[in-house]
Amino acid sequence: MGISCKIIEDLLPLYIDGVCSEESKEVVEEHLSECSRCEDMFRHMKSTCLPKQDVDVNLNEAEALRDLSKKWNRKLLGAMIKGVISTLLLVGGMLLIIYIFVGFKGA
Ligand SMILES: [Zn+2]
């Protein structure tokens, strides 16, 4: 193999983040296929680092989404109440005008 486990250990975080060069990637992959100790370390690093970040991001996103939907619901409710009130006023006003008009005509 030629590359020491210490070097692979240094490269693994970069490899997991996908920020190392193609050459380093190949060296790491080659070493991992031959060295079970580093492969175990790679699996451990991958399972402890990445999914946790994903969960954090998902939680933040879910929270932001919940906040957004809360605000949105409040806004929507306010708009609906305003809409209902203005519709009632409009219809009531029209009915009143029609009533007055028809009432005068009928008399
Ligand atoms: Zn190794």
Side-chain angles (χ1 to χ4, degrees):
M1 28 184 123
I3 302 281
S4 82
C5 292
K6 197 75 201 150
I7 290 171
I8 297 302
E9 199 178 311
D10 286 344
L11 284 175
L12 272 180
L14 303 177
Y15 175 73
I16 290 171
D17 284 346
V19 292
C20 66
S21 67
E22 275 298 311
E23 218 179 316
S24 304
K25 203 176 139 187
E26 274 168 29
V27 168
V28 170
E29 276 167 3
E30 201 189 320
H31 185 93
L32 287 182
S33 67
E34 294 167 350
C35 177
S36 60
R37 199 182 78 91
C38 287
E39 208 200 344
D40 280 353
M41 195 166 62
F42 166 67
R43 288 222 189 98
H44 181 72
M45 271 185 175
K46 212 180 165 186
S47 64
T48 51
C49 299
L50 285 182
K52 195 183 170 293
Q53 273 176 5
D54 281 354
V55 167
D56 281 352
V57 167
N58 284 342
L59 275 180
N60 285 341
E61 270 177 11
E63 220 161 288
L65 215 66
R66 217 181 305 139
D67 276 2
L68 197 73
S69 74
K70 239 189 252 170
K71 273 178 204 161
W72 199 73
N73 274 341
R74 221 174 289 151
K75 252 187 191 173
L76 189 74
L77 200 69
M80 274 172 70
I81 289 172
K82 265 184 211 165
V84 167
I85 288 174
S86 59
T87 304
L88 281 177
L89 283 177
L90 200 71
V91 170
M94 274 169 74
L95 283 176
L96 195 68
I97 288 168
I98 290 169
Y99 177 76
I100 291 169
F101 186 69
V102 171
F104 273 124
K105 258 203 158 177

